[in-house]
């Protein structure tokens, strides 16, 4: 990976060329091997007043990871001074330096030799392009012990003196931070001052650079606050960070941006893709701005510059060092969300969420409470409370459905049971009355009387039909046909057979006499039968009258109809009794559902309160960290726009004025309003400032929408940040009333105050006052960049150079293709030249400004 990184350095190593070396037989190979064993990347051979061993050490290091710089420790009249030169510097130049500083040939290698004054030695080293370092400055041979008063301060203040070398941590910390009265801040180093192989690396320094070069060392001592560390520092601090960004197609096809863990800057002319790189990262993390136009720009860049179906891949690592791969396919519908996988390839949640600001978004945040709250939330852990809120709202939504269904069922059952016409009360009375009627003895006996009636009627009717039937039967006898053989006239026995001859006439006469007698006898029987029936009919008529009276009372035409009605009524009553039991069961269920709802509302309020408490604690901490320059408070659930909109929608057509609606929203939480409406008492609304008549209307109108009313309990309520900035001592102005630069200043202060998730900003300088860029942005980035990754697209030299970008991408582009022309640290030559061109307008422009800015 390109970019600046810490390299373990020991810039004071002696060899047998120093007369005081403890191992005169040590070889260059042994010295190189010892340095490598100690994990050193850079060493300098700095023998006393001689360069004799430099070539041998440099030759021995060839083909190894060790970089050897030529150097010499010069014994000046004021103390020992190290001179370090670039690796490609001819050794002759160092040899020529020695006589120029007063070290003649016979003094070579001797510590006791004394050259010119320390100031002169330091200037000679600087003139030759070397770096001068005051060796073991606080020892008996150091400049701080060998000089007095103002002379010593003057030496330490020389710009030509690159650094002070100390053996003690206390001296390093005091002089590097300017804590020593009268002395300026100065770069400090530690070296082993090894006079034996085993002493190599016993003290060392971490220098941050991209290219191992004298320029890299010089850059480190020039900007020692952020480029020099020591063994007591932890240079392996882990923070969540983006490792790389790769796009499969489109504008950046074939380009992989390998990002630095610390400060990254994208630089280039218009249209080279600086903003695109930022927006593609944002797209991959499923992070879209709350502002429609900025969100559309992010989505638009992905579509236009990457293309549908293409894949954006981001490799990243969490603070525990676990790697993840995030991939998102570009879609015109924007429905394909990113997929995150862990190192084993399993689907995983996003390991962290960077904080993004698109171009111009910083000032927009200052005008949006929601965006400000999102900014605050990006730095705190409210996941548990937010999830608890989501869970509680989900429970309330389900509970509302259950309550609505139960209440609807209950109302239906009540309408059946309490129906004034066919309800339980009337049906039970009807069943009782019908049951009583059906128990009357006559109703049981009368069917027997009816059977007797049928019997009597049948007998009388039969007697009436017998004469006619007999006559028809007699008339049906054809006598002549029965006696169809006549006696012949010449029958010899005609006389004797005369009785037989008369038989047809005798039979006919007999049949006539029998019919008359039979009819007479039947008439006699009928008279007797009718006489008997007449006595019975009187009793039957009494029974029938009683029976008909009872049936008439039941309003039915017959006992079967009465019985049928009784059966139906009894069955209906059974249904109503079951419904009554269902009512009891549902009322019990509703009690439980309401208790569950109350519990869910309590959980919702508790979750929101926990989240608010975390936000308030953070706001208080931030306010303290900002030294009272910014006031931050949180209005608990003050964001009630969704609540107001929902209530307004529910009250359409109610003629309740919006003013009264606003009074309700401001004074009452949704759950309290739901309680009031369901309770039916308007007085709490009146107490809240709503006049009596609108209050009553509101309750009556909302009560007609029970389902929608319950939905109010889960309506979104937001905590609102209230931020003010001190524009004059003791005078604060609300954030949204500040100038553009003031707004940007406050938002950036908040964005950078704490947290370890990457901060990724497109052109932060656009919304900020120029003075603030250096005083706040640059200083904050320098303080935080080793504990937090920054990614900026910028054209401001202060943001990149003064903040000491660890890795810069200089972009170039054709009409449809972007590429990285150069990338590296500021000390990398080709990157440096391009940065001067894009940030300063080129060397000539930079020099002209430097000359004109120079103080007279």
């Amino acid at each position: 990976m390109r970019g600046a990184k810490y390299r373990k350095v020991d810039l004071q190593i002696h060899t047998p060329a120093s007369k005081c070396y403890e191992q005169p037989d040590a070889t260059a190979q042994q010295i190189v091997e010892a340095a490598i064993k100690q994990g050193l990347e850079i060493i300098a051979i700095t023998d006393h007043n001689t360069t004799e061993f430099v070539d041998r050490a440099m030759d021995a290091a060839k083909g190894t990871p060790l970089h050897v710089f030529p150097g010499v420790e010069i014994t000046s009249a004021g103390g020992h001074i190290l001179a370090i030169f670039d690796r490609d510097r001819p050794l002759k130049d160092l040899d020529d330096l020695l006589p120029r500083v007063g070290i003649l040939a016979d003094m070579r290698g001797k510590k006791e030799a004394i050259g010119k004054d320390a100031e002169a030695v330091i200037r000679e080293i600087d003139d030759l392009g070397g770096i001068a370092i005051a060796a073991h400055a606080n020892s008996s041979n150091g400049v701080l012990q060998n000089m007095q008063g103002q002379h010593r301060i003057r030496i330490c203040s020389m710009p030509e003196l690159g650094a002070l070398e100390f053996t003690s941590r206390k001296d390093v910390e005091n002089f590097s931070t300017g804590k020593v009265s009268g002395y300026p801040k100065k770069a400090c180093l530690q070296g082993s001052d090894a006079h034996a192989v085993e002493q190599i690396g016993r003290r060392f320094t971490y220098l941050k650079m991209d290219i191992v070069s004298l320029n890299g060392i010089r850059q480190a001592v020039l900007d020692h606050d952020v480029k020099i560390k020591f063994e007591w520092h932890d240079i392996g601090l882990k923070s969540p960070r983006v490792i790389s960004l790769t796009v499969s197609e489109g504008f950046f096809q074939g380009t992989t941006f390998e990002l630095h863990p610390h400060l990254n800057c994208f630089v280039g002319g218009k249209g080279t893709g600086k903003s695109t790189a930022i927006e593609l990262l944002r797209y991959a993390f499923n992070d879209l701005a709350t502002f429609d136009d900025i969100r559309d720009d992010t989505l638009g860049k992905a579509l236009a510059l990457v293309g549908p179906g293409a894949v954006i891949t981001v490799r990243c690592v969490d603070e525990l060092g676990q790697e993840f791969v995030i991939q998102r396919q570009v879609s015109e519908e924007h429905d394909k969300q990113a997929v995150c996988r862990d190192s084993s390839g399993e689907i995983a949640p996003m390991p962290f969420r960077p904080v993004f600001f698109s171009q111009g978004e910083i000032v927009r945040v200052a005008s949006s409470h929601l965006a400000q709250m999102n900014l605050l939330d990006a730095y705190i852990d409210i996941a548990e409370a937010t999830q608890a809120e989501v869970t509680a709202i989900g429970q309330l939504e389900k509970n509302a459905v259950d309550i609505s269904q139960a209440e609807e069922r209950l109302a239906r059952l009540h309408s059946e049971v309490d129906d004034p016409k066919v309800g339980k009360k009337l049906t039970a009375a009807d069943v009782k009355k019908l049951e009583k009627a059906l128990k009357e003895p006559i109703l049981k006996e009368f069917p027997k009387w009816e059977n007797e009636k049928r019997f009597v009627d049948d007998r009388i009717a039969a007697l009436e039909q017998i004469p006619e039937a007999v006559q028809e039967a007699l008339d049906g006898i054809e006598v002549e046909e029965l006696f169809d053989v006549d006696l012949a006239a010449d029958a010899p026995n005609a006389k004797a057979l005369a009785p037989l001859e008369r038989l047809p006439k005798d039979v006919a006469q007999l049949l006539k006499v029998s019919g008359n007698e039979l009819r007479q006898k039947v008439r006699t029987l009928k008279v007797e039968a009718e006489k008997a029936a007449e006595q019975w009919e009187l009793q039957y008529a009494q029974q029938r009258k009683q029976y008909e009276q009872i049936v008439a009372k039941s309003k039915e035409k017959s006992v079967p109809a009465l019985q049928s009605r009784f059966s139906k009524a009894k069955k209906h009553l059974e249904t109503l009794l079951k419904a009554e039991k269902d009512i009891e069961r549902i009322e019990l269920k509703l009690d439980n559902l309401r208790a569950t709802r109350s519990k869910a509302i309590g959980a919702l309020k508790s979750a929101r309160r926990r989240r608010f408490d975390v936000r308030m604690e953070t706001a208080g901490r931030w306010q303290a960290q900002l030294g009272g320059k910014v006031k931050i408070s949180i209005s608990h659930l003050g964001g009630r726009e969704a609540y107001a909109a929902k209530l307004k929608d529910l009250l359409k057509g109610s003629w309740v004025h919006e003013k009264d609606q606003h009074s309700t929203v401001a004074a009452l939480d949704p759950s309290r309003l739901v309680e009031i409406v369901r309770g039916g008492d308007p007085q709490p609304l009146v107490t809240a400032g709503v006049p009596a008549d609108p209050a009553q209307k509101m309750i009556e109108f909302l009560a007609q929408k029970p389902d929608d009313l319950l939905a109010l309990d889960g309506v979104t309520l937001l905590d609102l940040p209230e931020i003010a900035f001190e524009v004059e001592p003791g005078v604060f102005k609300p954030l949204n009333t500040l100038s553009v630069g003031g707004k940007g200043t406050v938002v950036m202060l908040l964005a950078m105050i704490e947290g370890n998730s990457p901060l990724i900003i497109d052109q932060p300088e656009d919304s900020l006052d120029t003075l603030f860029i250096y005083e706040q942005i640059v200083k904050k980035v320098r303080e935080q960049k080793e504990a937090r990754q920054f990614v900026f697209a910028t054209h401001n030299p202060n943001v990149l150079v003064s903040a000491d970008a660890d890795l810069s991408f200089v972009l170039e582009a054709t009409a449809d293709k972007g590429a990285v022309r150069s990338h590296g640290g500021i000390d990398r030559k080709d990157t440096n030249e391009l940065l001067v061109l894009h940030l300063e307008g080129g060397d000539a422009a930079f020099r002209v400004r430097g000359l004109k800015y120079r103080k007279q």
Side-chain angles (χ1 to χ4, degrees), residues 11 43-46 51 54 58 68-72 74 82-91 93-95 97-98 121-122 124-132 213-215 217-218:
L11 294 181
I43 64 170
I45 301 300
T46 55
T51 61
V54 170
M58 293 182 75
V68 178
F69 281 79
V72 62
I74 298 170
L82 299 178
I84 311 296
F85 289 87
D86 216 339
R87 289 178 299 159
D88 58 359
R89 190 69 179 259
L91 194 59
D93 290 351
L94 273 75
D95 288 334
L97 169 66
L98 292 174
V121 171
I122 290 168
E124 289 286 357
I125 295 170
D126 184 68
D127 286 344
L128 282 177
I131 297 176
S213 66
L214 189 70
N215 182 45
I217 297 174
R218 194 186 307 279

Side-chain angles (χ1 to χ4, degrees), residues 410 414 582-591 594:
L410 189 64
H414 269 301
D582 286 344
I583 287 172
E584 294 178 2
R585 178 180 57 79
I586 293 172
E587 286 179 340
L588 180 60
K589 180 181 178 180
L590 274 171
D591 287 343
R594 289 173 185 133

Side-chain angles (χ1 to χ4, degrees), residues 199 234 275 376 386 427 513 582 653 672 709 714 785 807 813 833 847:
Q199 294 173 359
D234 184 357
S275 295
L376 182 70
T386 299
T427 301
V513 172
D582 286 344
R672 178 60 182 141
L709 178 66
K785 68 175 185 166
L807 177 61
E833 290 173 351
R847 282 195 298 272

Side-chain angles (χ1 to χ4, degrees), residues 12-37:
Q12 190 180 10
I13 292 180
H14 294 273
T15 75
S18 293
K19 303 304 182 185
C20 55
Y21 198 71
E22 298 173 11
Q23 297 170 326
D25 296 330
T27 65
Q29 187 68 32
Q30 289 174 321
I31 290 171
V32 168
E33 288 175 355
I36 293 172
K37 185 178 180 180

Side-chain angles (χ1 to χ4, degrees), residues 392 395-396 399-400 403 590-606 671 674-675 678 710 713:
Q395 290 172 344
L396 286 172
N399 178 270
I403 285 180
L590 274 171
D591 287 343
N592 292 333
L593 285 172
R594 289 173 185 133
T596 298
R597 187 168 194 81
S598 179
K599 186 176 179 181
I601 290 171
L604 177 61
K605 290 180 177 179
S606 176
S671 56
V674 173
E675 286 178 4
R678 290 172 70 84
L710 288 176
D713 278 329

Side-chain angles (χ1 to χ4, degrees), residues 496-614:
L497 293 174
L500 296 176
E501 179 69 20
R502 293 192 302 271
L503 276 177
K505 291 180 181 180
D506 293 340
V507 169
Q509 184 63 34
L510 178 60
L511 288 175
K512 184 177 181 181
V513 172
S514 297
N516 290 333
E517 288 181 359
L518 179 61
R519 281 193 290 275
Q520 181 62 41
K521 288 183 178 182
V522 168
R523 279 196 293 272
T524 301
L525 289 174
K526 183 181 178 187
V527 170
E528 293 175 356
E530 287 177 344
K531 186 177 180 181
E534 186 178 354
Q535 294 297 321
W536 176 87
E537 283 285 357
L538 292 174
Q539 297 178 35
Y540 171 76
Q542 292 177 355
Q543 294 295 322
R544 184 178 184 82
K545 183 179 180 181
Q546 184 181 356
Y547 170 80
E548 287 178 347
Q549 286 175 344
I550 293 172
V551 171
K553 285 182 181 178
S554 69
K555 298 181 181 179
E556 295 292 345
K557 294 181 179 179
S558 65
V559 170
L562 178 63
Q563 290 173 329
S564 174
R565 179 178 156 193
F566 172 70
S567 178
K568 290 177 181 177
K570 189 174 182 182
K571 188 174 181 180
H572 183 52
L573 181 59
E574 289 172 355
T575 300
L576 294 175
L577 290 172
K578 182 178 181 301
E580 198 169 48
K581 288 184 178 179
D582 286 344
I583 287 172
E584 294 178 2
R585 178 180 57 79
I586 293 172
E587 286 179 340
L588 180 60
K589 180 181 178 180
L590 274 171
D591 287 343
N592 292 333
L593 285 172
R594 289 173 185 133
T596 298
R597 187 168 194 81
S598 179
K599 186 176 179 181
I601 290 171
L604 177 61
K605 290 180 177 179
S606 176
R608 286 171 169 170
R609 172 57 66 175
R610 291 199 304 277
R611 184 172 57 195
F612 169 74
D613 289 342
V614 173

Side-chain angles (χ1 to χ4, degrees), residues 103-154:
I103 303 297
L104 303 179
D106 60 343
M107 302 178 183
R108 303 294 172 89
K110 297 178 180 178
K111 187 165 62 173
E112 62 272 14
I114 299 178
K116 291 183 179 179
D117 178 82
E119 289 186 55
V121 171
I122 290 168
R123 289 195 178 93
E124 289 286 357
I125 295 170
D126 184 68
D127 286 344
L128 282 177
I131 297 176
I133 301 169
H136 37 76
N138 231 355
S139 71
S140 58
N141 294 318
V143 295
L144 295 180
Q145 292 295 328
N146 281 277
M147 294 184 181
Q148 302 295 322
Q150 292 302 313
H151 190 197
R152 183 168 61 188
I153 293 174
R154 189 168 64 250

